[in-house]
Amino acid sequence: MQQSAQKQQAPSRAVSFSQLSTRLLFIVMSLAAIIALLLFVWPTEEKNKDFYSFKSVNIRGKLISLEKYRGSISLVVNVASECGFTENHYKDLQQLQRELGPMHFNVLGFPCNQFGNQEPGSDQEIERFVRRTYGVSFPMFSKINVKGPGVNAAFKYLTDSSGKEPNWNFWKYLVDANGEVVDVWETSVPIAEIKPKIAMLVRQLIVKRKDEL
């Protein structure tokens, strides 16, 4: 009788094991589907980034979103305080900011010490120098790397999207209102030479905004 009862219970155990296997298989397949979806979505989101989607620390140590500059034209420059190009560039960049700043434009200065160790000071020293010497009023950011190990994420976007990486101080990236790089100029190109294109973009932006009203 006991053997007969055990035989009758056996099928019940087999059914329970089958149900458990089915549930485990469903869970594994669901997890695999979720992982596959994440692997598909993440690269897409990365590709959709633009310059204004990043954050960066300003020269006073505060983390800010570059999103605040969306809708404006930006000239992004890796600056240095002890370079042979410092004098002319800072003067002309500040003049550009003074003339076009009120019309949806900003120079964005990113100090960098990677080229000739020509930006050795602290953020506080850099800010004091540019404010006192050149009356700089445009936004300045904390000292960063613009290439190689530890490169700033926003600058990596600039170089990756343009295909052009700085090889000295005062490279200039022109970014449109949507955060896309529209032009790049190396160190030796003076501000006077690039000003007409910047002014043209600013004018186009003003006209577009008026048309949208």
Side-chain angles (χ1 to χ4, degrees), residues 49-103:
K49 280 185 177 293
D50 59 69
F51 179 73
Y52 298 130
S53 66
F54 293 93
K55 295 181 180 180
S56 196
V57 178
N58 70 11
I59 203 161
R60 296 188 177 181
K62 181 180 179 181
L63 180 66
I64 67 167
S65 172
L66 298 179
E67 192 70 31
K68 67 184 293 184
Y69 302 111
R70 186 178 298 279
S72 299
I73 308 299
S74 297
L75 186 67
V76 187
V77 188
N78 61 305
V79 296
S81 301
E82 300 178 6
C83 179
F85 293 92
T86 298
E87 182 81 5
N88 289 338
H89 268 79
Y90 262 120
K91 285 183 176 179
D92 292 344
L93 288 170
Q94 176 56 26
Q95 181 62 28
L96 196 63
Q97 178 71 28
R98 188 178 296 112
E99 293 179 15
L100 301 180
M103 298 178 285

CSV table of all heavy atoms in Angstrom, one decimal, residues 49-103:
chain,number,residue,atom,x,y,z
A,49,LYS,N,23.7,62.8,-27.8
A,49,LYS,CA,24.3,63.9,-27.0
A,49,LYS,C,24.7,65.1,-27.8
A,49,LYS,O,25.2,64.9,-29.0
A,49,LYS,CB,25.4,63.4,-26.1
A,49,LYS,CG,25.0,62.6,-24.9
A,49,LYS,CD,26.2,62.3,-24.0
A,49,LYS,CE,25.8,61.6,-22.7
A,49,LYS,NZ,25.0,62.5,-21.8
A,50,ASP,N,24.7,66.3,-27.3
A,50,ASP,CA,25.3,67.4,-27.9
A,50,ASP,C,26.1,68.2,-26.8
A,50,ASP,O,26.0,67.8,-25.6
A,50,ASP,CB,24.2,68.3,-28.6
A,50,ASP,CG,23.2,68.8,-27.6
A,50,ASP,OD1,23.5,69.6,-26.7
A,50,ASP,OD2,22.0,68.3,-27.7
A,51,PHE,N,26.7,69.3,-27.2
A,51,PHE,CA,27.6,70.0,-26.2
A,51,PHE,C,26.8,70.4,-25.0
A,51,PHE,O,27.3,70.4,-23.9
A,51,PHE,CB,28.3,71.2,-26.9
A,51,PHE,CG,29.2,72.0,-26.0
A,51,PHE,CD1,30.4,71.5,-25.6
A,51,PHE,CD2,28.8,73.2,-25.6
A,51,PHE,CE1,31.2,72.2,-24.8
A,51,PHE,CE2,29.6,74.0,-24.8
A,51,PHE,CZ,30.8,73.5,-24.4
A,52,TYR,N,25.6,70.9,-25.2
A,52,TYR,CA,24.9,71.5,-24.1
A,52,TYR,C,24.3,70.4,-23.2
A,52,TYR,O,23.7,70.8,-22.1
A,52,TYR,CB,23.8,72.4,-24.6
A,52,TYR,CG,24.3,73.6,-25.4
A,52,TYR,CD1,23.7,73.9,-26.7
A,52,TYR,CD2,25.3,74.4,-24.9
A,52,TYR,CE1,24.2,75.0,-27.4
A,52,TYR,CE2,25.8,75.5,-25.6
A,52,TYR,CZ,25.2,75.8,-26.9
A,52,TYR,OH,25.7,76.8,-27.6
A,53,SER,N,24.4,69.2,-23.5
A,53,SER,CA,23.8,68.1,-22.7
A,53,SER,C,24.8,67.7,-21.6
A,53,SER,O,24.5,66.9,-20.7
A,53,SER,CB,23.5,66.9,-23.5
A,53,SER,OG,24.7,66.3,-24.1
A,54,PHE,N,26.0,68.3,-21.5
A,54,PHE,CA,27.0,67.9,-20.5
A,54,PHE,C,27.0,68.9,-19.4
A,54,PHE,O,26.4,70.0,-19.4
A,54,PHE,CB,28.4,67.9,-21.1
A,54,PHE,CG,28.6,66.8,-22.2
A,54,PHE,CD1,28.4,67.1,-23.5
A,54,PHE,CD2,29.0,65.6,-21.8
A,54,PHE,CE1,28.6,66.1,-24.4
A,54,PHE,CE2,29.2,64.6,-22.7
A,54,PHE,CZ,29.0,64.8,-24.0
A,55,LYS,N,27.7,68.5,-18.3
A,55,LYS,CA,27.9,69.4,-17.1
A,55,LYS,C,29.3,69.6,-17.0
A,55,LYS,O,30.2,68.8,-17.4
A,55,LYS,CB,27.3,68.7,-15.9
A,55,LYS,CG,25.8,68.6,-15.9
A,55,LYS,CD,25.3,68.0,-14.6
A,55,LYS,CE,23.7,67.8,-14.6
A,55,LYS,NZ,23.2,67.2,-13.4
A,56,SER,N,29.7,70.8,-16.4
A,56,SER,CA,31.1,71.1,-16.1
A,56,SER,C,31.2,72.0,-14.9
A,56,SER,O,30.3,72.7,-14.6
A,56,SER,CB,31.7,71.8,-17.4
A,56,SER,OG,33.1,71.7,-17.3
A,57,VAL,N,32.4,71.9,-14.3
A,57,VAL,CA,32.6,72.7,-13.1
A,57,VAL,C,33.1,74.1,-13.5
A,57,VAL,O,34.0,74.2,-14.3
A,57,VAL,CB,33.6,72.0,-12.2
A,57,VAL,CG1,33.9,72.9,-10.9
A,57,VAL,CG2,33.1,70.7,-11.7
A,58,ASN,N,32.5,75.1,-13.0
A,58,ASN,CA,32.9,76.5,-13.4
A,58,ASN,C,34.2,76.8,-12.5
A,58,ASN,O,34.6,76.1,-11.7
A,58,ASN,CB,31.8,77.5,-13.2
A,58,ASN,CG,31.4,77.8,-11.8
A,58,ASN,OD1,32.1,77.4,-10.8
A,58,ASN,ND2,30.3,78.5,-11.6
A,59,ILE,N,34.7,78.0,-12.8
A,59,ILE,CA,36.0,78.3,-12.2
A,59,ILE,C,36.0,78.6,-10.7
A,59,ILE,O,37.0,78.7,-10.0
A,59,ILE,CB,36.6,79.6,-13.0
A,59,ILE,CG1,38.2,79.6,-12.8
A,59,ILE,CG2,36.0,80.9,-12.5
A,59,ILE,CD1,38.9,80.4,-13.8
A,60,ARG,N,34.7,78.7,-10.2
A,60,ARG,CA,34.5,78.9,-8.8
A,60,ARG,C,34.1,77.6,-8.1
A,60,ARG,O,33.7,77.6,-6.9
A,60,ARG,CB,33.5,80.0,-8.5
A,60,ARG,CG,34.1,81.4,-9.0
A,60,ARG,CD,33.2,82.5,-8.6
A,60,ARG,NE,33.8,83.8,-9.1
A,60,ARG,CZ,33.3,85.0,-8.8
A,60,ARG,NH1,32.1,85.1,-8.1
A,60,ARG,NH2,33.9,86.1,-9.3
A,61,GLY,N,34.2,76.5,-8.8
A,61,GLY,CA,34.0,75.2,-8.2
A,61,GLY,C,32.6,74.7,-8.2
A,61,GLY,O,32.3,73.7,-7.5
A,62,LYS,N,31.7,75.3,-8.9
A,62,LYS,CA,30.3,74.9,-8.9
A,62,LYS,C,30.0,74.1,-10.1
A,62,LYS,O,30.3,74.5,-11.2
A,62,LYS,CB,29.4,76.1,-8.8
A,62,LYS,CG,27.9,75.8,-8.8
A,62,LYS,CD,27.0,77.0,-8.7
A,62,LYS,CE,25.6,76.7,-8.7
A,62,LYS,NZ,24.7,77.9,-8.6
A,63,LEU,N,29.4,72.9,-9.9
A,63,LEU,CA,29.0,72.1,-11.1
A,63,LEU,C,27.7,72.7,-11.7
A,63,LEU,O,26.7,72.9,-11.1
A,63,LEU,CB,28.7,70.7,-10.6
A,63,LEU,CG,28.2,69.7,-11.7
A,63,LEU,CD1,29.4,69.5,-12.7
A,63,LEU,CD2,27.8,68.4,-11.1
A,64,ILE,N,27.8,73.0,-13.0
A,64,ILE,CA,26.7,73.6,-13.7
A,64,ILE,C,26.4,72.8,-15.0
A,64,ILE,O,27.3,72.1,-15.5
A,64,ILE,CB,27.0,75.1,-14.1
A,64,ILE,CG1,28.1,75.2,-15.1
A,64,ILE,CG2,27.3,75.9,-12.9
A,64,ILE,CD1,28.2,76.5,-15.8
A,65,SER,N,25.2,72.9,-15.4
A,65,SER,CA,24.7,72.3,-16.6
A,65,SER,C,25.0,73.2,-17.8
A,65,SER,O,24.6,74.4,-17.7
A,65,SER,CB,23.3,71.9,-16.6
A,65,SER,OG,22.8,71.4,-17.8
A,66,LEU,N,25.6,72.7,-18.9
A,66,LEU,CA,25.8,73.6,-20.0
A,66,LEU,C,24.5,73.8,-20.8
A,66,LEU,O,24.4,74.6,-21.7
A,66,LEU,CB,26.8,72.9,-21.0
A,66,LEU,CG,28.2,72.7,-20.4
A,66,LEU,CD1,29.1,72.1,-21.4
A,66,LEU,CD2,28.8,74.1,-19.9
A,67,GLU,N,23.4,73.2,-20.3
A,67,GLU,CA,22.1,73.4,-20.8
A,67,GLU,C,21.7,74.8,-20.8
A,67,GLU,O,20.9,75.3,-21.6
A,67,GLU,CB,21.1,72.5,-20.1
A,67,GLU,CG,19.7,72.4,-20.7
A,67,GLU,CD,19.7,71.6,-22.0
A,67,GLU,OE1,20.6,70.6,-22.1
A,67,GLU,OE2,18.9,71.8,-22.9
A,68,LYS,N,22.2,75.6,-19.8
A,68,LYS,CA,21.9,77.0,-19.6
A,68,LYS,C,22.3,77.8,-20.9
A,68,LYS,O,21.7,78.9,-21.1
A,68,LYS,CB,22.5,77.5,-18.4
A,68,LYS,CG,24.0,77.6,-18.4
A,68,LYS,CD,24.6,78.1,-17.1
A,68,LYS,CE,24.2,79.5,-16.8
A,68,LYS,NZ,24.9,80.1,-15.6
A,69,TYR,N,23.2,77.3,-21.7
A,69,TYR,CA,23.6,78.0,-22.9
A,69,TYR,C,22.9,77.6,-24.1
A,69,TYR,O,23.1,78.1,-25.2
A,69,TYR,CB,25.1,77.9,-23.1
A,69,TYR,CG,25.9,78.3,-21.9
A,69,TYR,CD1,26.6,77.4,-21.1
A,69,TYR,CD2,25.9,79.7,-21.5
A,69,TYR,CE1,27.3,77.9,-19.9
A,69,TYR,CE2,26.6,80.1,-20.4
A,69,TYR,CZ,27.3,79.2,-19.6
A,69,TYR,OH,28.0,79.6,-18.5
A,70,ARG,N,22.0,76.6,-24.0
A,70,ARG,CA,21.3,76.1,-25.2
A,70,ARG,C,20.4,77.3,-25.7
A,70,ARG,O,19.8,78.0,-25.0
A,70,ARG,CB,20.4,74.9,-24.8
A,70,ARG,CG,19.7,74.3,-26.1
A,70,ARG,CD,18.9,73.1,-25.7
A,70,ARG,NE,19.7,72.0,-25.1
A,70,ARG,CZ,20.4,71.2,-25.9
A,70,ARG,NH1,20.4,71.3,-27.2
A,70,ARG,NH2,21.1,70.2,-25.3
A,71,GLY,N,20.3,77.4,-27.0
A,71,GLY,CA,19.6,78.4,-27.6
A,71,GLY,C,20.5,79.6,-28.0
A,71,GLY,O,20.0,80.6,-28.6
A,72,SER,N,21.7,79.6,-27.6
A,72,SER,CA,22.7,80.6,-27.9
A,72,SER,C,23.9,80.1,-28.7
A,72,SER,O,24.1,78.8,-28.7
A,72,SER,CB,23.2,81.3,-26.6
A,72,SER,OG,22.2,81.8,-25.8
A,73,ILE,N,24.6,80.9,-29.3
A,73,ILE,CA,25.8,80.5,-30.0
A,73,ILE,C,27.0,80.6,-29.0
A,73,ILE,O,27.1,81.5,-28.2
A,73,ILE,CB,26.1,81.5,-31.2
A,73,ILE,CG1,24.9,81.6,-32.1
A,73,ILE,CG2,27.3,81.0,-32.0
A,73,ILE,CD1,24.4,80.3,-32.8
A,74,SER,N,27.8,79.6,-29.1
A,74,SER,CA,29.0,79.6,-28.1
A,74,SER,C,30.3,79.4,-28.9
A,74,SER,O,30.4,78.6,-29.8
A,74,SER,CB,28.8,78.4,-27.1
A,74,SER,OG,27.7,78.6,-26.3
A,75,LEU,N,31.3,80.1,-28.5
A,75,LEU,CA,32.7,79.9,-28.9
A,75,LEU,C,33.4,79.3,-27.8
A,75,LEU,O,33.7,80.0,-26.8
A,75,LEU,CB,33.3,81.2,-29.4
A,75,LEU,CG,34.7,81.1,-30.0
A,75,LEU,CD1,34.6,80.3,-31.4
A,75,LEU,CD2,35.3,82.5,-30.3
A,76,VAL,N,33.8,78.1,-27.9
A,76,VAL,CA,34.4,77.3,-26.8
A,76,VAL,C,35.9,77.3,-27.0
A,76,VAL,O,36.4,76.9,-28.1
A,76,VAL,CB,33.9,75.9,-26.7
A,76,VAL,CG1,34.4,75.2,-25.4
A,76,VAL,CG2,32.4,75.9,-26.7
A,77,VAL,N,36.7,77.8,-26.0
A,77,VAL,CA,38.1,78.0,-26.2
A,77,VAL,C,38.9,77.4,-25.1
A,77,VAL,O,38.6,77.6,-23.9
A,77,VAL,CB,38.5,79.5,-26.3
A,77,VAL,CG1,39.9,79.7,-26.7
A,77,VAL,CG2,37.5,80.2,-27.3
A,78,ASN,N,40.0,76.6,-25.4
A,78,ASN,CA,40.9,76.2,-24.3
A,78,ASN,C,42.0,77.2,-24.1
A,78,ASN,O,42.8,77.5,-25.0
A,78,ASN,CB,41.5,74.8,-24.6
A,78,ASN,CG,42.3,74.8,-25.9
A,78,ASN,OD1,41.8,75.2,-27.0
A,78,ASN,ND2,43.6,74.3,-25.8
A,79,VAL,N,41.9,77.9,-23.0
A,79,VAL,CA,42.7,79.1,-22.7
A,79,VAL,C,43.9,78.8,-21.8
A,79,VAL,O,43.9,77.8,-21.2
A,79,VAL,CB,41.8,80.2,-22.1
A,79,VAL,CG1,40.7,80.7,-23.0
A,79,VAL,CG2,41.2,79.7,-20.8
A,80,ALA,N,44.9,79.7,-21.9
A,80,ALA,CA,46.1,79.6,-21.0
A,80,ALA,C,46.6,81.0,-20.7
A,80,ALA,O,46.4,81.9,-21.5
A,80,ALA,CB,47.1,78.8,-21.7
A,81,SER,N,47.2,81.2,-19.5
A,81,SER,CA,47.6,82.5,-19.0
A,81,SER,C,49.0,82.9,-19.4
A,81,SER,O,49.3,84.1,-19.4
A,81,SER,CB,47.4,82.5,-17.5
A,81,SER,OG,46.1,82.3,-17.1
A,82,GLU,N,49.8,81.9,-19.8
A,82,GLU,CA,51.3,82.3,-20.0
A,82,GLU,C,51.7,81.9,-21.4
A,82,GLU,O,52.9,81.5,-21.7
A,82,GLU,CB,52.1,81.6,-19.0
A,82,GLU,CG,51.8,82.0,-17.6
A,82,GLU,CD,52.6,81.3,-16.5
A,82,GLU,OE1,53.5,80.5,-16.9
A,82,GLU,OE2,52.4,81.5,-15.3
A,83,CYS,N,50.8,81.9,-22.4
A,83,CYS,CA,51.1,81.5,-23.8
A,83,CYS,C,51.4,82.8,-24.6
A,83,CYS,O,51.0,83.9,-24.3
A,83,CYS,CB,49.8,80.8,-24.3
A,83,CYS,SG,50.0,80.3,-26.1
A,84,GLY,N,52.1,82.6,-25.7
A,84,GLY,CA,52.4,83.7,-26.6
A,84,GLY,C,51.2,84.3,-27.3
A,84,GLY,O,51.1,85.4,-27.8
A,85,PHE,N,50.1,83.5,-27.3
A,85,PHE,CA,48.8,83.9,-27.9
A,85,PHE,C,47.8,84.5,-26.8
A,85,PHE,O,46.7,84.9,-27.2
A,85,PHE,CB,48.2,82.7,-28.6
A,85,PHE,CG,48.9,82.2,-29.8
A,85,PHE,CD1,49.9,81.2,-29.7
A,85,PHE,CD2,48.7,82.8,-31.0
A,85,PHE,CE1,50.5,80.7,-30.8
A,85,PHE,CE2,49.4,82.3,-32.1
A,85,PHE,CZ,50.3,81.3,-32.0
A,86,THR,N,48.3,84.5,-25.6
A,86,THR,CA,47.3,84.9,-24.5
A,86,THR,C,46.8,86.4,-24.7
A,86,THR,O,45.6,86.6,-24.6
A,86,THR,CB,48.0,84.8,-23.1
A,86,THR,OG1,48.4,83.4,-22.9
A,86,THR,CG2,47.1,85.3,-22.0
A,87,GLU,N,47.8,87.3,-24.9
A,87,GLU,CA,47.4,88.7,-24.9
A,87,GLU,C,46.4,89.0,-26.0
A,87,GLU,O,45.3,89.5,-25.7
A,87,GLU,CB,48.7,89.5,-25.2
A,87,GLU,CG,48.5,91.0,-25.2
A,87,GLU,CD,48.5,91.7,-23.8
A,87,GLU,OE1,48.7,91.0,-22.8
A,87,GLU,OE2,48.2,92.9,-23.7
A,88,ASN,N,46.7,88.7,-27.2
A,88,ASN,CA,45.8,89.0,-28.3
A,88,ASN,C,44.4,88.3,-28.2
A,88,ASN,O,43.4,88.8,-28.4
A,88,ASN,CB,46.4,88.7,-29.6
A,88,ASN,CG,47.5,89.7,-30.0
A,88,ASN,OD1,47.6,90.8,-29.4
A,88,ASN,ND2,48.4,89.3,-30.8
A,89,HIS,N,44.5,87.0,-27.8
A,89,HIS,CA,43.3,86.2,-27.8
A,89,HIS,C,42.3,86.7,-26.7
A,89,HIS,O,41.1,86.9,-26.9
A,89,HIS,CB,43.6,84.7,-27.6
A,89,HIS,CG,43.7,84.0,-28.9
A,89,HIS,ND1,44.8,84.0,-29.7
A,89,HIS,CD2,42.8,83.2,-29.5
A,89,HIS,CE1,44.6,83.3,-30.7
A,89,HIS,NE2,43.4,82.8,-30.7
A,90,TYR,N,42.9,86.9,-25.5
A,90,TYR,CA,42.0,87.3,-24.4
A,90,TYR,C,41.4,88.7,-24.7
A,90,TYR,O,40.2,88.9,-24.4
A,90,TYR,CB,42.7,87.4,-23.1
A,90,TYR,CG,42.5,86.1,-22.2
A,90,TYR,CD1,43.6,85.3,-21.8
A,90,TYR,CD2,41.2,85.8,-21.8
A,90,TYR,CE1,43.4,84.2,-21.1
A,90,TYR,CE2,41.0,84.6,-21.0
A,90,TYR,CZ,42.1,83.9,-20.7
A,90,TYR,OH,41.9,82.7,-19.9
A,91,LYS,N,42.1,89.6,-25.2
A,91,LYS,CA,41.6,90.9,-25.6
A,91,LYS,C,40.5,90.8,-26.6
A,91,LYS,O,39.4,91.4,-26.5
A,91,LYS,CB,42.7,91.8,-26.1
A,91,LYS,CG,43.7,92.4,-25.0
A,91,LYS,CD,44.7,93.3,-25.6
A,91,LYS,CE,45.6,93.9,-24.5
A,91,LYS,NZ,46.6,94.8,-25.1
A,92,ASP,N,40.7,90.0,-27.6
A,92,ASP,CA,39.8,89.9,-28.7
A,92,ASP,C,38.5,89.1,-28.3
A,92,ASP,O,37.4,89.4,-28.8
A,92,ASP,CB,40.4,89.3,-30.0
A,92,ASP,CG,41.5,90.2,-30.6
A,92,ASP,OD1,41.4,91.4,-30.3
A,92,ASP,OD2,42.3,89.8,-31.4
A,93,LEU,N,38.8,88.1,-27.5
A,93,LEU,CA,37.6,87.3,-27.0
A,93,LEU,C,36.7,88.1,-26.1
A,93,LEU,O,35.5,88.0,-26.2
A,93,LEU,CB,38.1,86.1,-26.2
A,93,LEU,CG,38.8,84.9,-27.0
A,93,LEU,CD1,39.4,83.9,-26.1
A,93,LEU,CD2,37.7,84.3,-27.9
A,94,GLN,N,37.3,89.0,-25.3
A,94,GLN,CA,36.5,89.8,-24.4
A,94,GLN,C,35.8,90.9,-25.3
A,94,GLN,O,34.6,91.2,-25.0
A,94,GLN,CB,37.4,90.5,-23.4
A,94,GLN,CG,36.6,91.5,-22.5
A,94,GLN,CD,35.4,90.9,-21.8
A,94,GLN,OE1,35.4,89.7,-21.5
A,94,GLN,NE2,34.4,91.7,-21.5
A,95,GLN,N,36.4,91.4,-26.3
A,95,GLN,CA,35.7,92.3,-27.2
A,95,GLN,C,34.6,91.7,-27.9
A,95,GLN,O,33.5,92.3,-28.1
A,95,GLN,CB,36.7,92.9,-28.2
A,95,GLN,CG,36.2,93.9,-29.2
A,95,GLN,CD,35.7,95.2,-28.5
A,95,GLN,OE1,36.2,95.6,-27.4
A,95,GLN,NE2,34.7,95.8,-29.1
A,96,LEU,N,34.8,90.4,-28.3
A,96,LEU,CA,33.7,89.7,-29.0
A,96,LEU,C,32.5,89.5,-28.0
A,96,LEU,O,31.4,89.6,-28.4
A,96,LEU,CB,34.3,88.3,-29.4
A,96,LEU,CG,33.5,87.5,-30.5
A,96,LEU,CD1,33.4,88.3,-31.8
A,96,LEU,CD2,34.1,86.2,-30.7
A,97,GLN,N,32.8,89.1,-26.8
A,97,GLN,CA,31.8,89.0,-25.8
A,97,GLN,C,31.0,90.3,-25.5
A,97,GLN,O,29.8,90.3,-25.4
A,97,GLN,CB,32.4,88.5,-24.5
A,97,GLN,CG,31.4,88.3,-23.3
A,97,GLN,CD,30.5,87.1,-23.5
A,97,GLN,OE1,30.8,86.2,-24.2
A,97,GLN,NE2,29.3,87.2,-23.0
A,98,ARG,N,31.8,91.4,-25.5
A,98,ARG,CA,31.2,92.7,-25.3
A,98,ARG,C,30.2,93.1,-26.4
A,98,ARG,O,29.1,93.6,-26.2
A,98,ARG,CB,32.3,93.7,-25.1
A,98,ARG,CG,31.8,95.1,-24.7
A,98,ARG,CD,32.9,96.1,-24.5
A,98,ARG,NE,33.8,95.7,-23.4
A,98,ARG,CZ,35.1,95.3,-23.6
A,98,ARG,NH1,35.6,95.3,-24.9
A,98,ARG,NH2,35.8,95.0,-22.6
A,99,GLU,N,30.6,92.8,-27.6
A,99,GLU,CA,29.8,93.2,-28.8
A,99,GLU,C,28.6,92.2,-29.0
A,99,GLU,O,27.5,92.7,-29.3
A,99,GLU,CB,30.7,93.2,-30.0
A,99,GLU,CG,31.7,94.3,-30.0
A,99,GLU,CD,32.6,94.2,-31.3
A,99,GLU,OE1,32.2,93.6,-32.3
A,99,GLU,OE2,33.6,94.9,-31.3
A,100,LEU,N,28.8,90.9,-28.9
A,100,LEU,CA,27.8,90.0,-29.3
A,100,LEU,C,27.1,89.3,-28.1
A,100,LEU,O,26.0,88.7,-28.2
A,100,LEU,CB,28.4,88.9,-30.2
A,100,LEU,CG,29.0,89.3,-31.5
A,100,LEU,CD1,29.5,88.1,-32.2
A,100,LEU,CD2,28.0,90.1,-32.3
A,101,GLY,N,27.7,89.5,-26.9
A,101,GLY,CA,27.1,88.8,-25.7
A,101,GLY,C,25.6,89.1,-25.5
A,101,GLY,O,24.9,88.2,-25.1
A,102,PRO,N,25.2,90.4,-25.6
A,102,PRO,CA,23.8,90.7,-25.4
A,102,PRO,C,22.8,90.1,-26.4
A,102,PRO,O,21.6,90.1,-26.3
A,102,PRO,CB,23.7,92.2,-25.5
A,102,PRO,CG,25.1,92.7,-25.3
A,102,PRO,CD,26.0,91.6,-25.9
A,103,MET,N,23.4,89.4,-27.5
A,103,MET,CA,22.6,88.9,-28.6
A,103,MET,C,22.7,87.4,-28.7
A,103,MET,O,23.0,86.8,-29.7
A,103,MET,CB,22.9,89.5,-29.9
A,103,MET,CG,22.7,91.0,-29.9
A,103,MET,SD,23.2,91.8,-31.5
A,103,MET,CE,25.0,91.8,-31.3
